[in-house]
Amino acid sequence: MTDIITEQATAAASGAAATEQFRSKQRTEGVDVDTKRVDTLVSELLAATHDIIRRHKVSYAEYDVLKSWLIQVGEDGEWPLFLDVWLEHVVEEVANENREGSKGTIEGPYYVGDSPRLPAEATLPMRDDEAGTPLLFQGQVTGVDGTPLAGATVEIWHADNDGYYAQFAPGLPEWNLRGTVVADDTGHFWIRTIEPAPYQIPTDGSCGRLIAAAGWHAWRPAHLHLKVSAPGHQLITTQLYFQGGSHVEDDIASAVKPELILAPGPAADGNGHEVTYDFVLDKA
Ligand code: MBD
Ligand code: FE
């Protein structure tokens, strides 16, 4: 470590950053707050909860534990984390059920838009001594009919070798391991980065308390996050995982799909690993 004193990553700090980020990116355009729809959804949510209370004879003590926990989730800024870990995967499933192209999966709480634009052959912004196995991630963006998509962009963001995301943990350069790669005229891209580490959601906040209280684990498998888009096509938000990695089989966020597991091999230049993954985009 060359840093003098590194600030500790805390649940409250990453929660505050995730809440702030969400407020600047929420997809609420076009949502009409239809009374009938709100009535249906909220009534069913409440009825399901009433049923659980009756079947399990939930006590006042348990009710108060729930109340204080919910208050604390807000104070910790962990609503984005909680929702993205335990609900988003079903929202994504419904949103993308009719896609013919590449599989998507959840976005999670740590996306930041407008990352630095990089050429088709790119190295992600990283520290001079960035730890981790070098990875060449390459591929092509095409339409469902195989047409190469000129003007495609591949936004990529991922954790470092310690499982930390730039802008959500202290001490990392602003755009570390984040970039917007502009593919070439045939939709090809070559991205040099490092392999991320498995990610443990903060254990010192409300989500961590829930996990400990329920006897669960807090891990997501190592993953690359991506948003791939091209003119006239639907943007896909996805993640890619690493075959044989820890927690590929038991992701706390339930976001792994078999189509999203990479099997990198040795790099042609002898430096770490390389892997090819092509993205297929549905027409807009
Ligand atoms: C992550 O890195 C992530 O991708 C999700 C979905 C939740 C918490 C942390
Ligand atoms: Fe992530």
Side-chain angles (χ1 to χ4, degrees), residues 27-247:
R27 293 156 276 212
T28 43
E29 330 80 55
V31 171
D32 57 355
V33 187
D34 178 73
T35 304
K36 190 123 198 318
R37 178 110 174 128
V38 175
D39 174 30
T40 303
L41 298 181
V42 179
S43 296
E44 288 198 25
L45 176 65
L46 292 173
T49 310
H50 300 158
D51 180 57
I52 293 166
I53 294 167
R54 287 195 185 100
R55 281 192 297 111
H56 295 280
K57 301 199 183 302
V58 171
S59 69
Y60 260 106
E62 289 169 327
Y63 177 63
D64 283 358
V65 167
L66 172 66
K67 219 189 251 187
S68 83
W69 183 79
L70 289 169
I71 291 166
Q72 193 63 43
V73 175
E75 289 182 359
D76 290 343
E78 284 202 335
W79 281 116
L81 181 66
F82 175 80
L83 293 165
D84 294 352
V85 166
W86 285 295
L87 291 188
E88 190 189 355
H89 69 99
V90 188
V91 179
E92 188 280 329
E93 176 189 311
V94 170
N96 290 332
E97 65 189 352
N98 295 323
R99 290 223 191 204
E100 291 173 37
S102 298
K103 288 283 177 210
T105 191
I106 66 176
E107 176 173 314
Y110 302 145
Y111 170 67
V112 183
D114 297 319
S115 61
R117 283 177 90 81
L118 304 169
E121 287 189 53
T123 299
L124 294 189
M126 65 177 82
R127 293 160 287 184
D128 290 340
D129 58 350
E130 192 71 43
T133 305
L135 176 70
L136 169 60
F137 174 69
Q138 59 193 3
Q140 185 183 25
V141 185
T142 71
V144 171
D145 62 3
T147 316
L149 298 180
T153 59
V154 178
E155 283 184 86
I156 178 168
W157 70 102
H158 65 82
D160 69 10
N161 191 55
D162 295 319
Y164 292 119
Y165 283 88
Q167 302 186 39
F168 297 89
L172 295 168
E174 187 177 18
W175 295 106
N176 210 53
L177 306 174
R178 294 176 180 271
T180 301
V181 176
V182 182
D184 72 8
D185 292 344
T186 60
H188 284 94
F189 59 86
W190 298 263
I191 302 170
R192 288 184 187 280
T193 184
I194 54 104
E195 290 179 1
Y199 175 85
Q200 188 179 32
I201 74 168
T203 51
D204 61 318
S206 299
C207 292
R209 267 176 65 208
L210 169 62
I211 287 166
W216 301 338
H217 72 75
W219 291 95
R220 299 214 59 221
H223 55 281
L224 304 174
H225 287 274
L226 299 128
K227 281 182 185 277
V228 181
S229 61
H233 290 76
Q234 293 180 46
L235 178 151
I236 187 92
T237 299
T238 192
Q239 297 181 35
L240 295 169
Y241 306 92
F242 298 87
Q243 194 173 75
S246 340
H247 301 294

